[in-house]
Amino acid sequence: MEQRTDLMTGLYYHITRQEITRRHELVREYMREKELGVILVLVPHMEGYRRWLSGVDGTERRTESCFVIPQKGSILHVIGSSMVREQKSTAKPEGSMPDPEEAFDGIRTIYYFSAFEIRKMIEEGGGRKLGLIHGEEMRAQMYDYLEEFLPEIERIDVTRDFAMQKAVKSAEEQALIQRAVHLQERVLEGLWGYLKPGMLEAEAVRYARYLANRLESGGIDSMETAQVELISWKGRQSREPLCYPGRYLSDGDMVQIRLRITGDSGFYGTLTRCLSFGEPSVQDRETWQKVMTLQEIIEEKLRPGTSLELLQKEIKDLAGKMQIFLKGTHFLHGIGYCVSETPDESSCSESLILKEGMVLAAEPQVCDENGNIFCCGEVYCLTASGALRMTAIPREIKVLWE
């Protein structure tokens, strides 16, 4: 298996050259279809574009990095805020970064941004359009620079449009997400053997992050790479999750754990389950069964050709008829290099039509009569015939310390 060293985490990532090439060709095909000479990917850590284009992450300041993608030739990874104010044909990279040809495929790292090179690329591509991904994040300095040196070039925001191309996962990407989902299950199973009455919630969260790091996850910021939410209650929830250091777990408690942890090659998985210290009450079991009912309906109805917007409305209406209090209207979203990516609410893409190959997280939340919120989090891959559940762990309340 091919290995790439991630500059941010120091981990080995297993993305093949064929997969990186497939992604680059997908961009170029989209550019030809839309008659775009160049695409600028601004703040490329957003929605995982840095990893998607190169297979790894980097260490530069996130606001001073972008990718310049022409229709032909190498993609340029621009690091720093330097901007060329006169025509410059060549420039040698400076600094201590590894040789970009060794780190990436089809990508050259440079340390300046040149409007003159962009104009040349656009002319060679036969168009007059400059596509922007996350153009709303463009720094004022770059905006003024483009206004001064490329005033005649039409700029088009293609973020929402291209994100749907990226949202369809290849077989290799699906396999890596499956491994990430399996990581969540291993962490949860490890927690089951560790939790006991008298333990602080914060200690349980620390142990979950420790397990994640020891298994496959990693990075300098475990709050991001190993997102863990744990809330416990007896009778009634009284606060939001992760109110440090939390309360002491005790006999008779219900505990809900939500894991959103990166696995191999930076892909996220997600998993949410409830457990109890002792036999759950009748009401707790009834509420959990309602969550299971909604999850089963989602699994049945989740398929290509619909949209999250329509599906979520349909599930909400069905929940109302069954007298199930479903909290919120946004409980489905894409997952991949980010916990939530297109299609999802945050990118205003819930109306886009779902396609075969997309990977989605389903996290419906149900409230009981006391206001307690129960959630079950699952991951599905869309196939031609419907949704394939990627999570194998049983959908049940795990009973500990009976």
Side-chain angles (χ1 to χ4, degrees):
M1 181 177 289
E2 295 182 56
Q3 292 181 331
R4 294 163 176 264
T5 304
D6 182 67
L7 300 179
M8 179 64 75
T9 66
L11 299 176
Y12 281 124
Y13 278 2
H14 304 111
I15 296 291
T16 65
R17 287 181 172 84
Q18 290 84 354
E19 173 60 23
I20 296 297
T21 299
R22 181 197 71 84
R23 296 172 182 179
H24 292 180
E25 290 176 349
L26 182 65
V27 180
R28 264 62 186 265
E29 181 181 348
Y30 173 80
M31 293 173 69
R32 289 190 291 270
E33 178 186 342
K34 301 297 182 180
E35 298 183 342
L36 300 170
V38 170
I39 286 181
L40 294 184
V41 182
L42 303 167
V43 195
H45 74 280
M46 293 181 64
E47 295 192 24
Y49 272 97
R50 166 68 185 250
R51 288 192 176 109
W52 192 81
L53 287 167
S54 68
V56 293
D57 206 351
T59 58
E60 70 276 2
R61 291 179 62 185
R62 291 177 167 181
T63 57
E64 294 185 353
S65 172
C66 73
F67 283 88
V68 180
I69 308 176
Q71 277 200 22
K72 300 178 181 178
S74 296
I75 295 172
L76 301 181
H77 177 216
V78 182
I79 296 176
S81 58
S82 175
M83 297 184 181
V84 178
R85 305 199 71 81
E86 60 184 19
Q87 188 113 19
K88 181 191 282 188
S89 58
T90 61
K92 293 184 178 180
E94 299 175 356
S96 58
M97 292 284 288
D99 183 344
E101 295 301 326
E102 293 181 3
F104 315 125
D105 297 309
I107 297 176
R108 291 192 298 115
T109 299
I110 61 174
Y111 296 81
Y112 64 88
F113 185 85
S114 172
F116 307 101
E117 287 196 14
I118 290 176
R119 178 183 286 112
K120 181 180 177 181
M121 291 174 180
I122 291 176
E123 291 172 353
E124 290 176 347
R128 304 292 293 177
K129 299 177 183 178
L130 176 64
L132 301 176
I133 292 180
H134 293 306
E136 74 283 357
E137 299 293 330
M138 183 183 294
R139 290 179 291 119
Q141 180 188 12
M142 181 179 288
Y143 179 87
D144 294 340
Y145 178 77
L146 293 177
E147 286 287 298
E148 180 179 356
F149 291 100
L150 293 176
E152 77 284 7
I153 301 299
E154 181 183 1
R155 298 198 290 269
I156 301 173
D157 194 298
V158 298
T159 307
R160 186 173 182 266
D161 194 12
F162 184 75
M164 286 299 287
Q165 312 292 321
K166 176 172 163 283
V168 177
K169 310 303 183 189
S170 68
E172 181 174 324
E173 290 174 315
Q174 292 173 27
L176 289 169
I177 295 174
Q178 179 67 76
R179 290 178 64 175
V181 170
H182 182 50
L183 173 62
Q184 325 296 306
E185 296 175 328
R186 294 169 69 191
V187 171
L188 184 59
E189 288 169 346
L191 271 176
W192 285 344
Y194 181 77
L195 296 178
K196 60 183 179 181
M199 180 180 296
L200 273 169
E201 290 177 333
E203 183 181 350
V205 170
R206 283 196 300 269
Y207 186 70
R209 291 190 174 130
Y210 165 78
L211 285 176
N213 184 269
R214 294 293 295 175
L215 291 169
E216 282 184 317
S217 189
I220 58 176
D221 184 4
S222 63
M223 293 291 288
E224 179 178 348
T225 60
Q227 299 178 31
V228 181
E229 297 178 8
L230 185 148
I231 182 170
S232 65
W233 69 94
K234 184 178 296 182
R236 182 162 188 161
Q237 297 172 3
S238 59
R239 52 176 182 74
E240 294 296 319
L242 295 181
C243 182
Y244 188 86
R247 62 189 289 272
Y248 285 97
L249 305 179
S250 63
D251 291 323
D253 277 357
M254 288 293 300
V255 182
Q256 179 167 278
I257 303 167
R258 172 176 289 177
L259 304 174
R260 292 172 167 176
I261 300 171
T262 55
D264 185 22
S265 302
F267 283 100
Y268 274 93
T270 187
L271 176 65
T272 308
R273 289 292 187 272
C274 284
L275 61 87
S276 64
F277 289 117
E279 184 63 26
S281 68
V282 173
Q283 183 180 10
D284 289 339
R285 286 199 178 277
E286 289 178 349
T287 305
W288 182 254
Q289 185 55 50
K290 292 177 181 178
V291 181
M292 293 303 92
T293 298
L294 293 183
Q295 192 66 255
E296 290 167 1
I297 293 174
I298 291 171
E299 185 172 340
E300 177 187 351
K301 295 184 175 294
L302 188 59
R303 59 186 64 250
T306 186
S307 70
L308 296 191
E309 184 176 44
L310 293 176
L311 180 56
Q312 289 179 136
K313 183 180 184 303
E314 182 180 2
I315 301 299
K316 181 79 173 179
D317 292 343
L318 287 173
K321 292 177 182 178
M322 292 184 289
Q323 296 185 325
I324 298 175
F325 181 39
L326 177 61
K327 179 177 172 58
T329 57
H330 306 284
F331 47 87
L332 291 168
H333 58 84
I335 192 168
Y337 279 127
C338 301
V339 168
S340 183
E341 62 178 38
T342 302
D344 65 352
E345 175 197 11
S346 61
S347 61
C348 301
S349 56
E350 290 182 305
S351 62
L352 298 177
I353 301 301
L354 300 179
K355 298 181 180 180
E356 181 181 354
M358 289 183 175
V359 179
L360 301 166
E363 301 173 299
Q365 300 182 86
V366 172
C367 290
D368 67 11
E369 295 177 357
N370 294 325
N372 300 324
I373 301 172
F374 289 72
C375 180
C376 173
E378 300 274 36
V379 178
Y380 299 98
C381 180
L382 292 189
T383 68
S385 58
L388 176 65
R389 182 181 173 219
M390 302 179 81
T391 314
I393 206 161
R395 293 173 178 168
E396 60 184 22
I397 297 176
K398 180 70 174 180
V399 180
L400 302 179
W401 299 90
E402 294 184 79

